[in-house]
Amino acid sequence: MKYLLGVCLLGASLFSPAARADERPASDSTARNYSTFKRSLAINGLMQLRYVYSLSDNVNINGVHFTDDNTTNTHNTNSFLLRRIRVNTRANINDHFDANILMNLAEFSGNSNSRVLENAFIRYHRSRSFNVQFGQFRPFFGPEDMLPADIIKSLDYSNQYNLFGASGWQSFQLGAAVYGDLNTTGRVPFHYYAGIYNGNNRNQVNDNDDRKNYYGRIEADLAKNVRIGLNAAEGSWVDQKGHAWGGDISATLPLSGRTKFELISEYKQGTNFAEYAAAKVDDRKAIGQYYNRGFYVFPNFRYECNLPRLRSVEFSSRYEYLQENYKINDNLRQTITPMVSFEFADDYYARLEVGCIIDMFDHNIPNSAQYNHTTGVLQVQVRF
């Protein structure tokens, strides 16, 4: 995987000079000092507020089963929540450099240790075919990494995304990446991503070992609205090595003048470092026994109302198939998330979502989160 990063860097540098010449603004040719060229500062935010209600007996709002004599798990079955309170700052230093900071202030309401700060990176933009990013951000390891939380078409990211994030394959990590577009004028445009990062999750003082995680992703536009992607990664957790890989397809198909169908589907599998680290030392098996895999299918129907106060209505129902540790104590988890969304301002600037999360396991484990349950969710979102 480490050689893939070098190949991507070399390939991108071959393509970037022409692209840089094409993108140079007309006024660029007369400039002699680019210190403040196109300098700007933008601050925006997101608020996602929720009301959740457990629709299953003896299951709390976190999906954990409880009994009357169990005092370990909380018994609350409904609550108002601050899901995300994000503030994002982007500073364009000039036409090539920018800096980004993203904080989730909702993390202060819980255990904020090693949380709150999400993005903190500097980016060098040379051309469409060559960009370098350094700092803390989400590695480009699947379609969900390309989507900010404020425009995802469901209540939240998939269970698969959270599971792989716990093992350091996704979510916010500290490292560096290169990415860009290739063959943009050809019949099949390509997009590449490659990077290296610590792999021990966000806001850590140091890496927990001398090894690093390497990943690469390639996307191809098979048609105007159809894209496939493949990604692979190699990583470590202290003294253990592992790997992950996956593939996905996304498409947008217009059905009529106001209706369109959107689809994202992804399969991924990889080493479950989090489960390995949580196992008692005396009971630990070889790292190759800790493995997870899963896929999801996420269809979304969008109807453009184009009314002054109601811009669109969306209907979706994501289906997930997830085996968190299928070689040891496998307990298949299937999740269905039906949802209807009302958009009151374009580009999801004001949105109301109503839906539920239905979790089904092969076998129930009392007093745990592996227990069949349904949770109702009402979420209000504004961007600004």
Side-chain angles (χ1 to χ4, degrees):
M1 184 59 65
K2 64 182 70 176
Y3 303 110
L4 177 61
L5 177 59
V7 173
C8 290
L9 282 168
L10 178 61
S13 63
L14 296 176
F15 283 86
S16 57
R20 179 179 57 175
D22 292 340
E23 294 179 358
R24 180 174 297 170
S27 60
D28 194 358
S29 59
T30 60
R32 291 294 180 267
N33 185 348
Y34 294 93
S35 297
T36 60
F37 185 58
K38 294 187 176 181
R39 179 168 293 182
S40 63
L41 177 67
I43 300 176
N44 53 63
L46 164 73
M47 295 183 66
Q48 288 180 338
L49 311 179
R50 282 184 182 176
Y51 175 74
V52 295
Y53 188 90
S54 176
L55 301 174
S56 301
D57 294 335
N58 294 339
V59 177
N60 69 17
I61 58 173
N62 297 315
V64 179
H65 175 260
F66 62 85
T67 55
D68 293 336
D69 58 349
N70 185 306
T71 58
T72 302
N73 299 328
T74 59
H75 295 187
N76 57 312
T77 57
N78 71 93
S79 180
F80 291 100
L81 303 174
L82 297 177
R83 183 62 185 94
R84 292 181 178 91
I85 309 295
R86 278 180 164 168
V87 177
N88 181 61
T89 302
R90 174 175 175 174
N92 291 312
I93 309 305
N94 59 22
D95 57 330
H96 284 328
F97 287 94
D98 64 75
N100 293 261
I101 297 175
L102 175 64
M103 295 184 294
N104 183 7
L105 303 183
E107 300 287 7
F108 282 118
S109 63
N111 180 10
S112 60
N113 185 35
S114 299
R115 303 180 73 85
V116 182
L117 182 64
E118 296 183 333
N119 280 339
F121 64 85
I122 297 173
R123 178 168 50 193
Y124 171 71
H125 168 79
R126 186 181 182 188
S127 67
R128 289 180 60 185
S129 60
F130 186 68
N131 302 270
V132 181
Q133 198 162 292
F134 184 86
Q136 182 171 281
F137 53 90
R138 293 189 306 215
F140 306 102
F141 199 65
E144 291 185 286
D145 291 312
M146 317 298 173
L147 297 174
D150 50 346
I151 63 171
I152 58 176
K153 305 300 179 73
S154 185
L155 292 169
D156 221 322
Y157 293 105
S158 67
N159 295 324
Q160 180 190 106
Y161 177 86
N162 295 324
L163 181 63
F164 276 75
S167 289
W169 299 116
Q170 294 189 274
S171 193
F172 300 99
Q173 307 289 338
L174 185 59
V178 294
Y179 64 93
D181 302 335
L182 302 177
N183 195 36
T184 55
T185 59
R187 294 185 61 184
V188 183
F190 288 91
H191 318 274
Y192 76 92
Y193 307 85
I196 177 174
Y197 59 95
N198 288 341
N200 60 325
N201 297 320
R202 57 175 165 163
N203 301 333
Q204 302 297 320
V205 177
N206 296 302
D207 196 355
N208 59 355
D209 59 20
D210 285 335
R211 299 188 182 96
K212 297 293 179 283
N213 286 21
Y214 305 89
Y215 75 92
R217 175 175 172 82
I218 190 78
E219 297 175 341
D221 294 333
L222 300 184
K224 182 179 180 180
N225 297 314
V226 179
R227 176 175 294 182
I228 62 170
L230 296 172
N231 33 258
E234 179 182 285
S236 66
W237 190 286
V238 188
D239 58 344
Q240 300 295 327
K241 292 183 179 181
H243 62 274
W245 66 274
D248 54 85
I249 183 170
S250 57
T252 302
L253 305 174
L255 300 180
S256 67
R258 291 190 175 187
T259 307
K260 65 180 179 180
F261 172 71
E262 301 168 315
L263 175 71
I264 298 178
S265 183
E266 180 180 16
Y267 173 85
K268 192 183 277 103
Q269 66 178 46
T271 304
N272 192 336
F273 286 125
E275 189 73 17
Y276 175 83
K280 295 181 180 179
V281 176
D282 295 339
D283 298 332
R284 272 184 189 163
K285 297 177 172 54
I287 188 66
Q289 296 297 308
Y290 296 87
Y291 221 68
N292 41 230
R293 62 185 177 188
F295 75 89
Y296 64 83
V297 178
F298 185 22
N300 183 69
F301 290 90
R302 178 179 176 88
Y303 176 73
E304 304 282 354
C305 304
N306 294 332
L307 298 174
R309 296 293 184 180
L310 181 61
R311 306 302 297 162
S312 71
V313 179
E314 293 184 347
F315 302 90
S316 67
S317 184
R318 180 172 59 204
Y319 168 76
E320 302 182 54
Y321 179 103
L322 186 63
Q323 293 177 285
E324 296 189 18
N325 209 22
Y326 68 90
K327 293 185 178 182
I328 304 175
N329 300 323
D330 182 31
N331 191 9
L332 171 65
R333 178 183 185 181
Q334 299 181 79
T335 305
I336 302 175
T337 310
M339 189 192 74
V340 58
S341 169
F342 303 92
E343 184 183 24
F344 302 107
D346 290 336
D347 300 321
Y348 300 110
Y349 270 79
R351 191 183 188 197
L352 172 66
E353 300 164 273
V354 182
C356 64
I357 302 169
I358 306 169
D359 268 320
M360 300 167 288
F361 294 88
D362 263 3
H363 53 273
N364 289 327
I365 301 178
N367 297 314
S368 78
Q370 296 186 40
Y371 201 93
N372 293 347
H373 65 273
T374 300
T375 304
V377 182
L378 184 148
Q379 178 168 284
V380 180
Q381 167 184 306
V382 295
R383 301 170 66 194
F384 54 90

